[in-house]
Amino acid sequence: MNLRNAEEGKEYIIREIVTDDEEMDSFLFSLGCYSGEPITVVSHLKGGCVVSIKDARYTIDLQLAEAIEINA
């Protein structure tokens, strides 16, 4: 399951980042988004979603949301 399908307000644990794009992978890592880290979808938007990682909120697009695999 990826973040695009996640329920708002529920905390999930990131299982893995699925991308062949090295730049996207390093960007997500710089946000603190890596395997084993808790993540919460604050809200879904038309073009992406707002997530909470390590007490910070970020708006990410659908491509990034689909690259973040979470434990259901």
Side-chain angles (χ1 to χ4, degrees):
M1 184 167 130
N2 62 37
L3 275 187
R4 189 171 182 184
N5 309 108
E7 188 178 317
E8 290 181 9
K10 184 176 177 185
E11 185 175 274
Y12 296 92
I13 302 297
I14 299 172
R15 188 173 66 218
E16 65 178 318
I17 306 299
V18 181
T19 179
D20 293 331
D21 187 345
E22 188 70 33
E23 190 175 317
M24 183 189 301
D25 197 37
S26 63
F27 173 71
L28 288 170
F29 188 80
S30 73
L31 298 181
C33 188
Y34 45 84
S35 183
E37 192 65 33
I39 189 169
T40 304
V41 175
V42 177
S43 64
H44 288 284
L45 306 172
K46 191 172 187 176
C49 57
V50 178
V51 296
S52 175
I53 308 168
K54 293 190 173 193
D55 298 326
R57 289 186 178 192
Y58 303 102
T59 302
I60 59 173
D61 65 15
L62 291 177
Q63 185 180 13
L64 288 173
E66 290 173 352
I68 302 170
E69 291 288 323
I70 54 176
N71 289 333

